[in-house]
Amino acid sequence: QGGITPALVIVHPQQHWMEYGGLLELSDPQLTSPWIFTYSRGSQVDDTLGAFFPGRAVYHYYPDQPDYLYTVPRT
């Protein structure tokens, strides 16, 4: 966790929803865990999602780069 949580992580799957589903075990249904994961639903929705979770850092995760969290969507 290293000081980057609490965090909202927007997952941008490249091929299949399972790239997102596999991460869900790291969060809880009450949305109180250090990590909350959501599936990217397009830039407009993704850009406003952080307002629903004040106090959480927002990161973008791409399964083809599993060791890196982006602070903005990659282009």
Side-chain angles (χ1 to χ4, degrees), residues 5 27 32 35 45 48 56 59 65-66:
T5 60
S27 61
T32 59
W35 301 98
V45 173
T48 60
R56 287 186 177 266
Y59 298 105
Q65 285 189 297

Side-chain angles (χ1 to χ4, degrees), residues 31-71:
L31 304 177
T32 59
S33 61
W35 301 98
I36 295 175
F37 295 90
T38 186
Y39 194 95
S40 176
R41 287 164 176 77
S43 61
Q44 187 173 15
V45 173
D46 294 351
D47 288 346
T48 60
L49 192 57
F52 292 97
F53 297 96
R56 287 186 177 266
V58 177
Y59 298 105
H60 296 265
Y61 174 76
Y62 295 85
D64 64 343
Q65 285 189 297
D67 296 330
Y68 193 82
L69 294 172
Y70 289 83
T71 56

Side-chain angles (χ1 to χ4, degrees), residues 16-39:
H16 199 271
W17 70 269
M18 289 181 66
E19 296 170 323
Y20 159 71
L23 298 169
L24 294 179
E25 69 182 62
L26 300 174
S27 61
D28 63 39
Q30 294 80 26
L31 304 177
T32 59
S33 61
W35 301 98
I36 295 175
F37 295 90
T38 186
Y39 194 95

